[in-house]
Amino acid sequence: PVLTSLSHLSLASVVDVKNPALVSLGASASSKTLRRLDLSGCNAFDDIGLEAVVENAALLEELNLHGCSGISD
């Protein structure tokens, strides 16, 4: 099944969230409807993964990156 109307996604403290997962999320239909994304405590991704989601999530209103040490300022 394909999620086409995902608006909130929490992956907080999921240690295996890596760039390929975020690139896939960014390329999916779900990114078009995503309004809130919580990646707090996830340290296995960097700017590449984050950009892949943010560039495609035009409706994104809230992004929690608290404790994400793999990304730059």
mmCIF file of all heavy atoms in Angstrom, residues 25-57:
data_model
loop_
_atom_site.group_PDB
_atom_site.id
_atom_site.type_symbol
_atom_site.label_atom_id
_atom_site.label_comp_id
_atom_site.label_asym_id
_atom_site.label_seq_id
_atom_site.Cartn_x
_atom_site.Cartn_y
_atom_site.Cartn_z
ATOM 1 N N LEU A 25 11.663 8.792 1.354
ATOM 2 C CA LEU A 25 10.520 9.566 1.839
ATOM 3 C C LEU A 25 10.339 10.816 0.985
ATOM 4 O O LEU A 25 9.220 11.153 0.589
ATOM 5 C CB LEU A 25 10.706 9.942 3.308
ATOM 6 C CG LEU A 25 9.627 10.831 3.921
ATOM 7 C CD1 LEU A 25 8.263 10.136 3.883
ATOM 8 C CD2 LEU A 25 9.998 11.201 5.354
ATOM 9 N N GLY A 26 11.422 11.508 0.693
ATOM 10 C CA GLY A 26 11.353 12.721 -0.123
ATOM 11 C C GLY A 26 10.833 12.472 -1.522
ATOM 12 O O GLY A 26 10.152 13.313 -2.100
ATOM 13 N N ALA A 27 11.127 11.306 -2.065
ATOM 14 C CA ALA A 27 10.693 10.975 -3.419
ATOM 15 C C ALA A 27 9.285 10.403 -3.467
ATOM 16 O O ALA A 27 8.702 10.271 -4.542
ATOM 17 C CB ALA A 27 11.662 9.971 -4.033
ATOM 18 N N SER A 28 8.717 10.096 -2.312
ATOM 19 C CA SER A 28 7.403 9.459 -2.271
ATOM 20 C C SER A 28 6.268 10.478 -2.349
ATOM 21 O O SER A 28 6.460 11.672 -2.105
ATOM 22 C CB SER A 28 7.252 8.651 -0.980
ATOM 23 O OG SER A 28 7.094 9.519 0.127
ATOM 24 N N ALA A 29 5.097 9.990 -2.667
ATOM 25 C CA ALA A 29 3.910 10.846 -2.702
ATOM 26 C C ALA A 29 3.609 11.406 -1.315
ATOM 27 O O ALA A 29 3.030 12.482 -1.188
ATOM 28 C CB ALA A 29 2.717 10.053 -3.226
ATOM 29 N N SER A 30 4.012 10.700 -0.278
ATOM 30 C CA SER A 30 3.758 11.141 1.099
ATOM 31 C C SER A 30 4.405 12.480 1.420
ATOM 32 O O SER A 30 3.896 13.244 2.231
ATOM 33 C CB SER A 30 4.261 10.089 2.092
ATOM 34 O OG SER A 30 3.593 8.880 1.914
ATOM 35 N N SER A 31 5.548 12.757 0.806
ATOM 36 C CA SER A 31 6.231 14.013 1.114
ATOM 37 C C SER A 31 5.410 15.224 0.676
ATOM 38 O O SER A 31 5.549 16.309 1.241
ATOM 39 C CB SER A 31 7.610 14.053 0.451
ATOM 40 O OG SER A 31 7.498 14.147 -0.950
ATOM 41 N N LYS A 32 4.551 15.042 -0.287
ATOM 42 C CA LYS A 32 3.746 16.162 -0.797
ATOM 43 C C LYS A 32 2.682 16.627 0.194
ATOM 44 O O LYS A 32 2.226 17.760 0.123
ATOM 45 C CB LYS A 32 3.056 15.769 -2.109
ATOM 46 C CG LYS A 32 3.977 15.173 -3.152
ATOM 47 C CD LYS A 32 5.039 16.134 -3.620
ATOM 48 C CE LYS A 32 5.887 15.521 -4.712
ATOM 49 N NZ LYS A 32 7.219 15.137 -4.345
ATOM 50 N N THR A 33 2.291 15.738 1.134
ATOM 51 C CA THR A 33 1.240 16.083 2.098
ATOM 52 C C THR A 33 1.765 16.211 3.518
ATOM 53 O O THR A 33 1.009 16.550 4.428
ATOM 54 C CB THR A 33 0.121 15.020 2.080
ATOM 55 O OG1 THR A 33 0.683 13.743 2.387
ATOM 56 C CG2 THR A 33 -0.555 14.976 0.721
ATOM 57 N N LEU A 34 3.046 15.970 3.710
ATOM 58 C CA LEU A 34 3.646 15.973 5.039
ATOM 59 C C LEU A 34 3.685 17.378 5.631
ATOM 60 O O LEU A 34 4.206 18.310 5.024
ATOM 61 C CB LEU A 34 5.067 15.401 4.948
ATOM 62 C CG LEU A 34 5.744 15.008 6.241
ATOM 63 C CD1 LEU A 34 4.950 13.928 6.972
ATOM 64 C CD2 LEU A 34 7.149 14.500 5.954
ATOM 65 N N ARG A 35 3.111 17.522 6.825
ATOM 66 C CA ARG A 35 3.081 18.810 7.514
ATOM 67 C C ARG A 35 3.983 18.833 8.745
ATOM 68 O O ARG A 35 4.517 19.877 9.103
ATOM 69 C CB ARG A 35 1.658 19.162 7.923
ATOM 70 C CG ARG A 35 0.757 19.431 6.735
ATOM 71 C CD ARG A 35 -0.635 19.855 7.191
ATOM 72 N NE ARG A 35 -1.480 20.142 6.052
ATOM 73 C CZ ARG A 35 -1.529 21.292 5.405
ATOM 74 N NH1 ARG A 35 -0.748 22.280 5.777
ATOM 75 N NH2 ARG A 35 -2.333 21.462 4.380
ATOM 76 N N ARG A 36 4.138 17.694 9.401
ATOM 77 C CA ARG A 36 4.973 17.621 10.605
ATOM 78 C C ARG A 36 5.867 16.400 10.529
ATOM 79 O O ARG A 36 5.405 15.300 10.255
ATOM 80 C CB ARG A 36 4.100 17.523 11.855
ATOM 81 C CG ARG A 36 3.305 18.773 12.093
ATOM 82 C CD ARG A 36 2.577 18.717 13.422
ATOM 83 N NE ARG A 36 1.803 19.940 13.569
ATOM 84 C CZ ARG A 36 0.567 19.975 13.998
ATOM 85 N NH1 ARG A 36 -0.047 18.861 14.341
ATOM 86 N NH2 ARG A 36 -0.066 21.124 14.090
ATOM 87 N N LEU A 37 7.147 16.617 10.807
ATOM 88 C CA LEU A 37 8.127 15.542 10.795
ATOM 89 C C LEU A 37 9.001 15.661 12.024
ATOM 90 O O LEU A 37 9.594 16.709 12.278
ATOM 91 C CB LEU A 37 8.980 15.608 9.519
ATOM 92 C CG LEU A 37 10.084 14.578 9.373
ATOM 93 C CD1 LEU A 37 9.528 13.159 9.386
ATOM 94 C CD2 LEU A 37 10.883 14.835 8.095
ATOM 95 N N ASP A 38 9.077 14.592 12.787
ATOM 96 C CA ASP A 38 9.888 14.563 14.001
ATOM 97 C C ASP A 38 11.028 13.569 13.815
ATOM 98 O O ASP A 38 10.805 12.371 13.729
ATOM 99 C CB ASP A 38 9.036 14.159 15.201
ATOM 100 C CG ASP A 38 9.779 14.224 16.525
ATOM 101 O OD1 ASP A 38 11.006 14.469 16.524
ATOM 102 O OD2 ASP A 38 9.136 14.028 17.567
ATOM 103 N N LEU A 39 12.226 14.095 13.715
ATOM 104 C CA LEU A 39 13.431 13.275 13.586
ATOM 105 C C LEU A 39 14.324 13.428 14.806
ATOM 106 O O LEU A 39 15.507 13.082 14.762
ATOM 107 C CB LEU A 39 14.206 13.681 12.319
ATOM 108 C CG LEU A 39 13.498 13.446 10.985
ATOM 109 C CD1 LEU A 39 14.269 14.096 9.846
ATOM 110 C CD2 LEU A 39 13.304 11.964 10.736
ATOM 111 N N SER A 40 13.788 13.936 15.897
ATOM 112 C CA SER A 40 14.590 14.189 17.093
ATOM 113 C C SER A 40 15.268 12.910 17.574
ATOM 114 O O SER A 40 14.676 11.835 17.566
ATOM 115 C CB SER A 40 13.727 14.787 18.201
ATOM 116 O OG SER A 40 12.672 13.902 18.556
ATOM 117 N N GLY A 41 16.524 13.056 17.940
ATOM 118 C CA GLY A 41 17.287 11.937 18.460
ATOM 119 C C GLY A 41 17.809 10.977 17.409
ATOM 120 O O GLY A 41 18.433 9.977 17.752
ATOM 121 N N CYS A 42 17.584 11.262 16.157
ATOM 122 C CA CYS A 42 18.098 10.415 15.065
ATOM 123 C C CYS A 42 19.453 10.958 14.634
ATOM 124 O O CYS A 42 19.559 12.118 14.259
ATOM 125 C CB CYS A 42 17.131 10.421 13.878
ATOM 126 S SG CYS A 42 15.477 9.836 14.260
ATOM 127 N N ASN A 43 20.468 10.133 14.671
ATOM 128 C CA ASN A 43 21.826 10.610 14.391
ATOM 129 C C ASN A 43 22.495 9.939 13.206
ATOM 130 O O ASN A 43 23.665 10.190 12.934
ATOM 131 C CB ASN A 43 22.716 10.418 15.628
ATOM 132 C CG ASN A 43 22.256 11.291 16.765
ATOM 133 O OD1 ASN A 43 22.069 12.482 16.593
ATOM 134 N ND2 ASN A 43 22.053 10.697 17.921
ATOM 135 N N ALA A 44 21.783 9.085 12.488
ATOM 136 C CA ALA A 44 22.413 8.310 11.416
ATOM 137 C C ALA A 44 22.229 8.927 10.036
ATOM 138 O O ALA A 44 22.550 8.310 9.038
ATOM 139 C CB ALA A 44 21.873 6.879 11.439
ATOM 140 N N PHE A 45 21.710 10.147 9.948
ATOM 141 C CA PHE A 45 21.557 10.810 8.653
ATOM 142 C C PHE A 45 22.272 12.149 8.692
ATOM 143 O O PHE A 45 22.641 12.645 9.753
ATOM 144 C CB PHE A 45 20.071 10.991 8.283
ATOM 145 C CG PHE A 45 19.342 11.982 9.137
ATOM 146 C CD1 PHE A 45 19.266 13.318 8.768
ATOM 147 C CD2 PHE A 45 18.727 11.592 10.313
ATOM 148 C CE1 PHE A 45 18.605 14.245 9.554
ATOM 149 C CE2 PHE A 45 18.054 12.496 11.107
ATOM 150 C CZ PHE A 45 17.992 13.829 10.730
ATOM 151 N N ASP A 46 22.460 12.741 7.523
ATOM 152 C CA ASP A 46 23.132 14.040 7.450
ATOM 153 C C ASP A 46 22.341 14.990 6.552
ATOM 154 O O ASP A 46 21.175 14.748 6.250
ATOM 155 C CB ASP A 46 24.585 13.886 6.994
ATOM 156 C CG ASP A 46 24.724 13.217 5.638
ATOM 157 O OD1 ASP A 46 23.784 13.296 4.806
ATOM 158 O OD2 ASP A 46 25.785 12.607 5.386
ATOM 159 N N ASP A 47 22.978 16.055 6.119
ATOM 160 C CA ASP A 47 22.312 17.086 5.318
ATOM 161 C C ASP A 47 21.702 16.546 4.024
ATOM 162 O O ASP A 47 20.674 17.044 3.564
ATOM 163 C CB ASP A 47 23.298 18.202 4.973
ATOM 164 C CG ASP A 47 23.771 18.965 6.194
ATOM 165 O OD1 ASP A 47 23.072 18.942 7.224
ATOM 166 O OD2 ASP A 47 24.847 19.575 6.126
ATOM 167 N N ILE A 48 22.322 15.535 3.441
ATOM 168 C CA ILE A 48 21.817 14.977 2.179
ATOM 169 C C ILE A 48 20.422 14.394 2.367
ATOM 170 O O ILE A 48 19.502 14.669 1.594
ATOM 171 C CB ILE A 48 22.793 13.917 1.632
ATOM 172 C CG1 ILE A 48 24.106 14.586 1.229
ATOM 173 C CG2 ILE A 48 22.171 13.158 0.465
ATOM 174 C CD1 ILE A 48 25.233 13.623 0.938
ATOM 175 N N GLY A 49 20.246 13.595 3.402
ATOM 176 C CA GLY A 49 18.940 13.009 3.681
ATOM 177 C C GLY A 49 17.908 14.052 4.042
ATOM 178 O O GLY A 49 16.765 14.016 3.577
ATOM 179 N N LEU A 50 18.314 15.000 4.864
ATOM 180 C CA LEU A 50 17.398 16.056 5.283
ATOM 181 C C LEU A 50 16.941 16.894 4.087
ATOM 182 O O LEU A 50 15.752 17.178 3.941
ATOM 183 C CB LEU A 50 18.062 16.946 6.323
ATOM 184 C CG LEU A 50 17.210 18.062 6.906
ATOM 185 C CD1 LEU A 50 15.960 17.496 7.579
ATOM 186 C CD2 LEU A 50 18.013 18.892 7.882
ATOM 187 N N GLU A 51 17.860 17.270 3.233
ATOM 188 C CA GLU A 51 17.514 18.057 2.040
ATOM 189 C C GLU A 51 16.530 17.328 1.139
ATOM 190 O O GLU A 51 15.627 17.939 0.567
ATOM 191 C CB GLU A 51 18.767 18.397 1.235
ATOM 192 C CG GLU A 51 19.529 19.575 1.764
ATOM 193 C CD GLU A 51 20.732 19.915 0.892
ATOM 194 O OE1 GLU A 51 20.625 19.805 -0.346
ATOM 195 O OE2 GLU A 51 21.767 20.285 1.458
ATOM 196 N N ALA A 52 16.694 16.026 1.005
ATOM 197 C CA ALA A 52 15.812 15.239 0.141
ATOM 198 C C ALA A 52 14.359 15.330 0.587
ATOM 199 O O ALA A 52 13.450 15.378 -0.237
ATOM 200 C CB ALA A 52 16.267 13.782 0.116
ATOM 201 N N VAL A 53 14.149 15.388 1.887
ATOM 202 C CA VAL A 53 12.780 15.508 2.400
ATOM 203 C C VAL A 53 12.298 16.949 2.303
ATOM 204 O O VAL A 53 11.232 17.223 1.760
ATOM 205 C CB VAL A 53 12.691 15.034 3.868
ATOM 206 C CG1 VAL A 53 11.307 15.288 4.423
ATOM 207 C CG2 VAL A 53 13.041 13.565 3.977
ATOM 208 N N VAL A 54 13.083 17.868 2.813
ATOM 209 C CA VAL A 54 12.659 19.266 2.900
ATOM 210 C C VAL A 54 12.389 19.880 1.523
ATOM 211 O O VAL A 54 11.432 20.636 1.353
ATOM 212 C CB VAL A 54 13.704 20.096 3.689
ATOM 213 C CG1 VAL A 54 13.369 21.567 3.666
ATOM 214 C CG2 VAL A 54 13.773 19.600 5.132
ATOM 215 N N GLU A 55 13.181 19.540 0.543
ATOM 216 C CA GLU A 55 12.985 20.099 -0.797
ATOM 217 C C GLU A 55 11.676 19.653 -1.438
ATOM 218 O O GLU A 55 11.140 20.332 -2.302
ATOM 219 C CB GLU A 55 14.150 19.716 -1.705
ATOM 220 C CG GLU A 55 15.414 20.479 -1.396
ATOM 221 C CD GLU A 55 16.573 20.083 -2.293
ATOM 222 O OE1 GLU A 55 16.439 19.133 -3.082
ATOM 223 O OE2 GLU A 55 17.626 20.733 -2.185
ATOM 224 N N ASN A 56 11.149 18.501 -1.007
ATOM 225 C CA ASN A 56 9.940 17.959 -1.619
ATOM 226 C C ASN A 56 8.699 18.085 -0.751
ATOM 227 O O ASN A 56 7.607 17.763 -1.206
ATOM 228 C CB ASN A 56 10.164 16.489 -1.986
ATOM 229 C CG ASN A 56 11.200 16.354 -3.067
ATOM 230 O OD1 ASN A 56 11.039 16.890 -4.153
ATOM 231 N ND2 ASN A 56 12.290 15.685 -2.768
ATOM 232 N N ALA A 57 8.864 18.534 0.463
ATOM 233 C CA ALA A 57 7.734 18.644 1.384
ATOM 234 C C ALA A 57 7.275 20.101 1.459
ATOM 235 O O ALA A 57 7.539 20.803 2.437
ATOM 236 C CB ALA A 57 8.120 18.111 2.767
#
